[in-house]
Amino acid sequence: MSHIQTIVNDIKGGKISARQAALEAFRKAEENEAFHALLHLTRERALERADDIDARLQKGQPVGRLAGVPFVAKDNFLTFGGPTTAASKLLKDFKAPLQATAIEKLEAEGAICIGKANLDAFAHGGSTENSAFGPTKNAHDQSRVAGGSSGGSAVATALGVVPFALGTDTGGSIRQPASFNGVVGVKPTYGTVSRYGVVAMASSTDTIGCFTKTAEDAELVMEIMSGRDKRDMTTLPDFFAPQEVPAPLKIGLIKDFMSSDVNEEVKTRTLEYIERLRAAGHTVEEVEMPIAKYALAMYYIIVPAEISSNLARYDGIRYGMRADATSLANLYGQTRDTGFEAENKRRIIIGSYVLSSGFFDAYYLKAQKARTLLMKAYNELFEEYDVLVGPVAPTPAFRLGENTEDPVKMYLADIMTVPPSLAGLPALSVPAGKTAEGLSVGMQLIGARKTDAMLLALAKSMEEN
Amino acid sequence: MTQVSSDDVRHLAQLSSLGLSDDEITSLTGDIEAILNYVKQLDELNTDGVEPTYQVTNLENVWREDEIVPDETNADMLLSLASGTAEHQVKVPKVL
């Protein structure tokens, strides 16, 4: 079922106006304020755009495939109509002078950005607790985390505030919160969607994707956002094309992610999903990927290294917060100390350590070589299997504050999502049911590069089953 | 075991232009040591003769025509983002 199509049909058919659709989204956003999914609403600009769509409809002018569909963007997408903060003190009052390509493409099809969603500051984290403006609460249980870093986008989608939300996924930041809140999350092949106008975290694994209630909706959003962009030279030549439900597939269950460390209910829901895949005619076999468990160690070398250089731009000079200091060195030091959260600083320091001359070979180079081995392992598996599956995260949503004192424990929540990120592979999180306590569990579907549309077709077919 | 001292963190903070307080240095020292000891498990992998992977697209030297493209931003818009400006320039504390 398509929630997006229903709204578009209602607006185009005159059942509701685009203005009414936007107002309804604002009403739901306010009704759910306690979850703290959104940092700010972009009311004025959204209503202007909605009125424009209504006027165009009256005149019989084209309005696009997403005419009047409200959405929210993670607050690391540069957008007009309000600040773009990356949930940081550093960019608290930053007004973007341009919009991200992904936003421009959605707007060109008539979609309306109604607000910006909470995240871990600069997208560093897996719980949205690192936001400078306070955490987002899980859609099922307000004492638990939303997941992260795109926690606000996941929760806004799960609560039905908007039919889709944008997120970024560098090591699981879309998939893990999708899993924790029971929605579909898409992390595309690296290079599918332009990163232009999105706050950079780790440039070799940053990807742009979305949250939706159904795979069909995700397919439409990804189709519109994807494609080569002259402003992001790492975008791949256009390849994304929606496809029909695939023929019986050969699927591998990654055994290494079904170990005794994984929550029992997560494993049960995973195995149930696998039975449904089999019932739908697909073959599922257990596969071994011994190197997968090392991916997290690679990730927490490579990504902090890229973060330490990407975040060097926040110097307080050209934009963002500036500390009051009399010397330039103090200005940099104080601006960055006040503007960044503890996790940002942790990652910058780690990055500076692994890139420093004495340790470069032992850490950074070692990790990039290990990454080659990881990709080789995937390539070998994809010679035999069409899709690899497993859980998205080892546990359902944990309690607020449960992992904040121990960074390594927090990082372990990413252990199943970082391997595809390092290899640039597409991966989805699809709902696989709930625990006895009512917490969502997600199933991860991983494909070879550029098989995004096939994965979505598989997810669509499983929703129909 | 990788050992990290508070002086190491102080030096890294300086390299990273982070003016950390002593309390932050203390708490980061323990964190950094724990993280470095976790990632050290990569030593178990034999990477002899393996080429590093720095990027996954296999794209190389993506060229475009050398033409002027109009941009939606202009100097005034960009200057308005800076915290200190004077005479149509960004103002900073004395450098020398």
Side-chain angles (χ1 to χ4, degrees), chain A residues 294 322 345 352 366 372, chain B residues 16 24 44-45 51 53 91:
Chain A
Y294 293 99
R322 181 191 286 195
K345 296 174 199 174
S352 296
K366 178 82 186 178
T372 305
Chain B
S16 316
E24 286 181 297
E44 294 165 20
L45 292 174
E51 286 296 314
T53 297
K91 197 177 167 186

Side-chain angles (χ1 to χ4, degrees), chain A residues 125-173:
Chain A
S127 69
T128 315
E129 291 169 291
N130 295 329
S131 166
F133 311 119
T136 295
K137 318 284 176 61
N138 188 280
H140 306 302
D141 178 349
Q142 291 199 32
S143 72
R144 290 180 185 269
V145 299
S149 64
S150 314
S153 299
V155 171
T157 308
L159 295 171
V161 174
V162 282
F164 77 93
L166 301 190
T168 56
D169 189 317
T170 301
S173 282

Side-chain angles (χ1 to χ4, degrees), chain A residues 121-401:
Chain A
F122 291 102
H124 304 172
S127 69
T128 315
E129 291 169 291
N130 295 329
S131 166
F133 311 119
T136 295
K137 318 284 176 61
N138 188 280
H140 306 302
D141 178 349
Q142 291 199 32
S143 72
R144 290 180 185 269
V145 299
S149 64
S150 314
S153 299
V155 171
T157 308
L159 295 171
V161 174
V162 282
F164 77 93
L166 301 190
T168 56
D169 189 317
T170 301
S173 282
I174 288 175
R175 287 161 287 160
Q176 187 251 36
S179 167
F180 282 7
N181 294 284
V183 293
V184 174
V186 182
K187 176 246 178 275
T189 299
Y190 179 86
T192 304
V193 179
S194 170
R195 295 178 292 118
Y196 181 74
V198 179
V199 175
M201 175 179 162
S203 302
S204 85
T205 70
D206 282 350
T207 59
I208 311 298
C210 66
F211 296 89
T212 54
K213 283 274 177 73
T214 68
E216 188 180 347
D217 281 345
E219 183 181 61
L220 178 60
V221 175
M222 293 310 295
E223 188 193 355
I224 289 168
M225 287 201 298
S226 65
R228 179 127 171 73
D229 181 9
K230 279 187 182 168
R231 290 177 144 166
D232 175 359
M233 288 302 191
T234 62
T235 44
L236 299 170
D238 298 0
F239 70 90
F240 188 96
Q243 63 180 68
E244 290 304 307
V245 174
L249 298 170
K250 200 166 170 199
I251 298 173
L253 166 65
I254 305 169
K255 215 174 127 189
D256 309 77
F257 291 144
M258 294 293 277
S259 70
S260 56
D261 302 338
V262 179
N263 176 287
E264 280 306 317
E265 284 189 281
V266 168
K267 278 194 279 189
T268 308
R269 295 293 93 77
T270 304
L271 292 172
E272 285 167 4
Y273 195 94
I274 281 163
E275 281 317 307
R276 289 176 51 215
L277 284 167
R278 288 192 173 121
H282 306 292
T283 311
V284 188
E285 292 171 4
E286 285 191 342
V287 298
E288 285 184 20
M289 200 179 170
I291 196 169
K293 69 169 195 280
Y294 293 99
L296 193 69
M298 301 172 206
Y299 183 85
Y300 278 100
I301 293 171
I302 295 165
V303 166
E306 295 187 20
I307 284 171
S308 74
S309 31
N310 266 331
L311 269 62
R313 72 190 66 180
Y314 301 107
D315 55 9
I317 302 294
R318 292 150 302 152
Y319 53 86
M321 197 203 85
R322 181 191 286 195
D324 194 16
T326 47
S327 81
L328 197 60
N330 285 344
L331 185 154
Y332 292 151
Q334 286 172 30
T335 297
R336 291 163 64 78
D337 187 43
T338 320
F340 290 136
E341 298 302 305
E343 181 61 19
N344 306 136
K345 296 174 199 174
R346 224 175 259 140
R347 294 190 187 199
I348 289 169
I349 297 280
I350 291 280
S352 296
Y353 183 93
V354 299
L355 289 175
S356 56
S357 57
F359 302 110
F360 182 89
D361 286 2
Y363 290 94
Y364 186 69
L365 192 61
K366 178 82 186 178
Q368 299 286 33
K369 286 179 176 178
R371 186 183 195 176
T372 305
L373 298 178
L374 176 76
M375 291 175 75
K376 191 167 158 269
Y378 271 123
N379 288 342
E380 284 167 9
L381 285 169
F382 283 122
E383 273 173 27
E384 202 172 335
Y385 297 92
D386 302 303
V387 179
L388 297 175
V389 298
V392 175
T395 64
F398 41 90
R399 292 197 181 280
L400 286 159

